[in-house]
Amino acid sequence: MPKIAHSVIVFLLLCIGFQNSLLAQEPDVILNTAETRYMQEKMYIHTDKSIYSSGETVWFKAYIAADNLPLAISKTVFAELINDKGMVLQRKTMPLILSGASADFILPDTLPDTRLFIRAYTGWMLNFDSSLLYVKPIQIIPKKGLPKKAATPPVYSVTFFPEGGDLVEGVESHVAFKATDMEGTPVFVKGEVLNNKNKSIVSFTSLHDGMGFFILQPLPGETYKAVWKDKKGKQFETMLPAVKKDGVVLTIGFPNNQLHYSLTRPDTASPAFLRYTVVAQMQQRMLYGAQINLTKKNAATAPIPTDSMPDGVLQITVFNAAMVPVAERLVFVNNNNYSFITDLHLIEKNIIKRGRNVIQVDVGGTLLSNLSVSVTDGDINPVGKNEENIYSQLLMSSDLKGYVYNPAYYFSSDDDSVKQHLDLVMMTNGWRRFKWENLLADQWPVLNYQPEDYLAISGKVIGLARSAFYGRNITGILQTKTGNKPSFFNIPINEKGDFYQSSLYFFDTAKLYYQFSNDKDKSLTGTASFSFKNSFIKAPLLTKDMLVNLYLPERIDSSIAAKTGNLAALRRTQLAASTKVQVLDEVGGDGYTFTTEDDPFAKSSPGVLAYLQGKVAGLQISMNGQGSASWRGSTPSFFLNENPSDIGMLQSVNMNDVAMIKVFRPPFMGAAGGGAGGAIAVYTKKGVTENASFKALPSTNIFGYSAIREFYSPDYSVNTDPFAKDYRTTLYWNGNIYIDKNVRRITLPFYNSDNCKKLRVIVEGLNELGQLTREEKIFE
């Protein structure tokens, strides 16, 4: 989230009946502890589309924001594909680069479910309530089409929310309400409130998505019920919350677009309800504090300056004289500082069968930005009635307790009507991050997991006396499948025989060779036993009941379901054909590896670039002059035997001396500037064969980050008919776009399918300050 340079904390003494006392320090101290020791991370996932068929691939990008910090606390994120029974079907482990991580899930061909879930989290998030972990439902069209379900009568409900939390005798209150069906979909209702004498007090009608409000002044001795009708005219009754004799009513107003609050108590109040402390916090940082003395007056009103606050959900809590929280209200603060502008254009438009199209993305300024782009068939993946986006999740939904229908709507416009509807959301949802009662009682979460430094290996030495290993190190040699030079490191052993090594960064499976340091004859190493484990962690299982309570995606239009179902079998055939090529190329998880020893074309090739031409999807090579290369609009970084080089030096290497060529996909973080164009690394035969003596050491397999697959996009300029038919619904996906000060514009070419008539293009991301971006356009 965008952060203010320094915290703006306003302490006010409202002299309504002057009281010479200081603001209670407890909330301030508590929030300072929460902010510095129990920082919160928030998760959002951008998927390529919202509806999938069996056998397709779910491409996704996870974004993480941390409270009051520009980037995430963690460096590793875990994602799980879960069915509606809570069973984990697939799991991915991804490195976080600039608070983002991308991966994919391949859906089984025989998938029976119509709904799956993606749950994503970091280890740090598991220190807190696991029920708050981010879960994204995705809709599935099974191979046999949508199953027929027996019609069940709808069940509607209306929930009432007095502003501030309570109805208090004799005090006028705003009462919000929310009407939904059993799946959480909003329904229109209208009705009236009756007292216990069946006298009509006030009527009410839904204003937006089943929500609305009315004003009620409860009287002593009265109870209230709502009599309301659904859209078919069927009548229901719902009791309103009980009226309290002692309490305070918190009311929020926005005169002249400025935030004001009022506290009102009944004419008669106990000593505990005469003096109050008001605290406003956002992201566990205290932004406002005041004391209010109502010993001589029934009400007080005060402003809360918000001009210097960050954007997001502000929690206003009122404590009574005993420091018990007695009223609470959420307010969304929007100073329009949370986003940066991304310009999206279709600079080459050919929405015809297999036509070539080119997207241009421009980002202003000089900040490093991390983006993802999806291009889908707009008829099969239309703009939905119930969608989230990076704004709604990271700025709003992640802080709210309760389901918000169509959260993206509340960030679609700055119109007053949208702001009023957003305030209804604030009135009908609670704060989800912590409970004041727990923190006031000094009940803090137990920190079982610390922020990890990428991957780690831990283990224990077994079978030796303490004197034999204490003070020694283990020499570790990590060899990945990519064929790169092995990594050497020394791991200290503590007095209990435990050892730990972090800051590891590799993909797929690697082999770890090991021995005690200074044990040349391996006599000590051979007499000991070693146990190893990686740093992967798992969240608690989701139960079926927990998943039922999650919202359902919007209902699928029958024409879309039929069209998607008919294309599923052909699409699975296409994916199988394209995967064969990728599996051969992707020896490692982070790029392409080419060994030249048994390749007759290598020896006859005039140089490295000529050899690579046409072998790597997305890598553009020109042989003009000394040659050039580009990938996703940027020039790759070049390495020779793992030393930085240039294209001229690589071209001067005789192909008979080349043992291996490694092509790293963008971004390649081992290069200066983030490697927006990836990297090309050449290894001569001498460079690969040296340091091979360690392979006689004992070894164990260590699992790294999940292998990265590149989105397959056909190039019809060189192959006009790779398949009999092309019915792709995702035409382009790129989850790893990095914009730096040197590259502010990128162009992304792709080819249309056989039948797409409408392109839906979405760009989402964040920058190094934590600002967010989203741009969506339809091209027809």
Side-chain angles (χ1 to χ4, degrees):
M1 309 300 98
K3 308 299 187 295
I4 50 178
H6 59 277
S7 177
V8 179
I9 303 178
V10 183
F11 296 101
L12 298 179
L13 289 176
L14 299 184
C15 301
I16 306 171
F18 180 79
Q19 176 187 347
N20 186 16
S21 64
L22 297 176
L23 176 68
Q25 294 298 308
E26 289 86 346
D28 188 24
V29 174
I30 287 171
L31 288 173
N32 182 65
T33 301
E35 180 189 358
T36 56
R37 294 189 57 194
Y38 301 91
M39 305 83 71
Q40 299 285 306
E41 289 181 320
K42 305 174 184 179
M43 181 81 68
Y44 166 73
I45 286 182
H46 175 198
T47 54
D48 60 315
K49 55 185 179 180
S50 58
I51 304 172
Y52 299 87
S53 61
S54 301
E56 285 195 305
T57 298
V58 179
W59 300 94
F60 67 92
K61 175 72 168 285
Y63 292 99
I64 299 182
D67 287 350
N68 303 310
L69 295 172
L71 299 177
I73 303 166
S74 303
K75 293 184 179 179
T76 297
V77 62
F78 304 92
E80 298 165 338
L81 184 67
I82 301 173
N83 66 13
D84 58 5
K85 299 177 181 62
M87 180 184 300
V88 177
L89 305 178
Q90 297 178 42
R91 197 166 188 267
K92 299 290 183 177
T93 305
M94 303 163 286
L96 275 170
I97 301 173
L98 193 64
S99 291
S102 62
D104 65 275
F105 290 118
I106 301 176
L107 300 179
D109 288 344
T110 57
L111 192 66
D113 304 280
T114 60
R115 183 177 56 162
L116 296 177
F117 303 88
I118 298 177
R119 178 171 68 171
Y121 54 89
T122 66
W124 180 256
M125 290 179 178
L126 296 184
N127 292 313
F128 308 98
D129 187 352
S130 61
S131 67
L132 303 182
L133 297 180
Y134 177 78
V135 181
K136 185 184 185 78
I138 57 174
Q139 191 71 47
I140 306 297
I141 305 295
K143 188 175 182 180
K144 296 182 180 179
L146 289 173
K148 294 182 179 180
K149 294 184 178 180
T152 56
V155 177
Y156 303 114
S157 64
V158 179
T159 308
F160 294 91
F161 304 87
E163 187 172 19
D166 294 320
L167 293 173
V168 180
E169 285 186 357
V171 180
E172 185 177 271
S173 296
H174 290 79
V175 180
F177 63 89
K178 179 164 65 174
T180 64
D181 64 13
M182 55 189 175
E183 296 179 350
T185 303
V187 294
F188 175 84
V189 297
K190 60 180 179 179
E192 57 183 347
V193 176
L194 307 179
N195 64 11
N196 48 352
K197 299 177 183 178
N198 282 328
K199 179 182 178 182
S200 178
I201 305 300
V202 63
S203 61
F204 59 88
T205 304
S206 298
L207 299 177
H208 173 74
D209 275 352
M211 298 179 293
F213 76 95
F214 55 86
I215 298 175
L216 176 67
Q217 185 172 2
L219 299 178
E222 288 193 353
T223 58
Y224 300 90
K225 66 179 179 181
V227 178
W228 52 277
K229 294 181 179 180
D230 62 20
K231 57 185 178 182
K232 293 185 177 181
K234 185 176 180 180
Q235 184 167 298
F236 301 86
E237 292 186 2
T238 302
M239 293 300 300
L240 266 63
V243 180
K244 292 187 175 182
K245 292 185 178 182
D246 221 358
V248 66
V249 171
L250 169 63
T251 305
I252 296 297
F254 301 92
N256 300 318
N257 290 321
Q258 300 295 315
L259 173 60
H260 286 70
Y261 69 92
S262 298
L263 297 186
T264 308
R265 65 166 177 84
D267 293 336
T268 302
S270 65
F273 287 89
L274 295 176
R275 295 178 178 84
Y276 300 93
T277 299
V278 180
V279 171
Q281 69 86 22
M282 183 187 296
Q283 301 171 10
Q284 302 186 146
R285 175 177 291 182
M286 186 167 176
L287 300 179
Y288 173 91
Q291 278 191 333
I292 295 183
N293 184 345
L294 293 185
T295 56
K296 296 183 179 180
K297 291 189 177 182
N298 289 32
T301 300
I304 298 180
T306 60
D307 293 346
S308 299
M309 289 185 182
D311 300 319
V313 178
L314 182 72
Q315 180 196 33
I316 303 171
T317 306
V318 179
F319 300 86
N320 67 9
M323 289 309 296
V324 174
V326 293
E328 182 177 283
R329 173 72 146 82
L330 302 182
V331 176
F332 191 84
V333 175
N334 185 2
N335 290 314
N336 286 314
N337 294 322
Y338 60 82
S339 64
F340 65 96
I341 296 176
T342 300
D343 288 326
L344 171 64
H345 303 282
L346 190 64
I347 60 174
E348 187 175 331
K349 179 180 177 181
N350 289 292
I351 310 178
I352 59 175
K353 180 178 180 180
R354 305 188 184 186
R356 185 177 189 270
N357 299 269
V358 179
I359 295 171
Q360 178 176 297
V361 179
D362 295 277
V363 179
T366 61
L367 296 175
L368 181 61
S369 303
N370 185 358
L371 308 176
S372 52
V373 175
S374 64
V375 182
T376 56
D377 187 328
D379 289 319
I380 297 179
N381 183 43
V383 179
K385 299 178 181 178
N386 181 18
E387 292 196 343
E388 68 170 3
N389 59 35
I390 194 169
Y391 294 150
S392 65
Q393 172 60 23
L394 295 182
L395 291 170
M396 180 186 69
S397 299
S398 57
D399 285 332
L400 299 183
K401 184 178 181 180
Y403 165 55
V404 179
Y405 181 83
N406 195 22
Y409 161 77
Y410 302 102
F411 296 85
S412 63
S413 168
D414 287 329
D415 292 347
D416 289 342
S417 60
V418 177
K419 293 179 182 178
Q420 293 167 3
H421 297 160
L422 176 56
D423 197 51
L424 286 175
V425 173
M426 298 296 105
M427 293 179 69
T428 55
N429 290 273
W431 175 255
R432 75 185 315 205
R433 289 293 168 182
F434 62 81
K435 294 182 179 179
W436 273 110
E437 294 86 350
N438 293 343
L439 303 192
L440 288 167
D442 204 27
Q443 297 175 359
W444 295 92
V446 178
L447 299 181
N448 293 316
Y449 304 96
Q450 293 300 318
E452 68 285 332
D453 187 9
Y454 292 111
L455 298 180
I457 299 171
S458 61
K460 191 176 187 65
V461 177
I462 305 169
L464 291 180
R466 176 179 178 275
S467 58
F469 61 75
Y470 186 49
R472 283 182 174 270
N473 292 336
I474 294 176
T475 298
I477 307 167
L478 192 68
Q479 179 67 67
T480 65
K481 286 185 176 181
T482 62
N484 289 345
K485 279 187 174 182
S487 301
F488 293 79
F489 43 82
N490 287 319
I491 312 175
I493 308 171
N494 68 14
E495 60 182 4
K496 296 181 180 179
D498 300 320
F499 54 87
Y500 179 84
Q501 175 68 39
S502 62
S503 304
L504 300 177
Y505 188 100
F506 64 95
F507 292 83
D508 208 345
T509 305
K511 191 171 287 291
L512 176 66
Y513 299 88
Y514 58 90
Q515 71 172 23
F516 285 112
S517 57
N518 300 319
D519 184 25
K520 294 183 178 180
D521 60 2
K522 306 179 186 63
S523 59
L524 187 60
T525 303
T527 58
S529 296
F530 298 80
S531 66
F532 295 89
K533 64 178 181 179
N534 58 29
S535 56
F536 297 164
I537 56 177
K538 294 183 179 180
L541 293 177
L542 282 172
T543 65
K544 185 175 181 180
D545 290 340
M546 294 171 65
L547 293 171
V548 168
N549 292 330
L550 291 172
Y551 71 87
L552 292 173
E554 61 181 286
R555 296 171 180 82
I556 301 176
D557 183 90
S558 58
S559 62
I560 295 175
K563 187 175 182 181
T564 306
N566 292 337
L567 303 181
L570 180 60
R571 179 61 188 145
R572 285 191 291 273
T573 303
Q574 297 172 354
L575 286 173
S578 63
T579 302
K580 291 180 181 178
V581 178
Q582 291 186 354
V583 169
L584 291 174
D585 285 344
E586 295 184 66
V587 178
D590 54 352
Y592 295 79
T593 299
F594 302 92
T595 55
T596 61
E597 186 66 27
D598 299 319
D599 188 347
F601 296 101
K603 294 180 175 58
S604 62
S605 182
V608 171
L609 291 185
Y611 175 74
L612 290 176
Q613 196 167 29
K615 286 183 168 62
V616 178
L619 179 63
Q620 305 296 320
I621 291 178
S622 170
M623 296 310 299
N624 294 329
Q626 69 174 1
S628 63
S630 66
W631 205 344
R632 298 176 185 171
S634 300
T635 301
S637 302
F638 301 102
F639 297 85
L640 180 61
N641 290 330
E642 297 195 348
N643 294 312
S645 183
D646 57 39
I647 197 168
M649 184 172 292
L650 259 61
Q651 286 289 75
S652 68
V653 176
N654 190 312
M655 285 299 296
N656 289 312
D657 297 328
V658 173
M660 181 177 63
I661 302 173
K662 176 70 179 178
V663 181
F664 294 88
R665 299 186 188 87
F668 178 62
M669 301 310 290
I680 299 174
V682 175
Y683 297 83
T684 61
K685 293 176 179 178
K686 178 182 177 181
V688 171
T689 57
E690 62 188 13
N691 294 323
S693 59
F694 63 80
K695 294 189 176 180
L697 297 176
S699 64
T700 185
N701 289 329
I702 300 295
F703 293 101
Y705 289 117
S706 301
I708 297 177
R709 296 198 315 135
E710 184 175 8
F711 177 82
Y712 175 77
S713 182
D715 184 354
Y716 288 128
S717 67
V718 296
N719 192 343
T720 58
D721 192 17
F723 308 118
K725 297 292 183 181
D726 181 355
Y727 290 146
R728 289 171 296 130
T729 56
T730 297
L731 305 175
Y732 183 81
W733 165 263
N734 193 332
N736 294 298
I737 298 176
Y738 295 84
I739 306 293
D740 58 22
K741 64 179 180 180
N742 298 317
V743 179
R744 308 308 301 171
R745 168 180 291 175
I746 59 168
T747 55
L748 306 171
F750 66 93
Y751 287 86
N752 194 19
S753 65
D754 286 354
N755 60 339
C756 175
K757 305 300 182 184
K758 178 191 297 184
L759 302 178
R760 185 185 182 191
V761 185
I762 297 175
V763 179
E764 292 188 312
L766 48 71
N767 64 21
E768 59 185 312
L769 292 184
Q771 292 175 309
L772 311 174
T773 192
R774 189 178 195 276
E775 183 74 8
E776 177 175 350
K777 289 187 177 180
I778 300 292
F779 300 100
E780 301 184 71

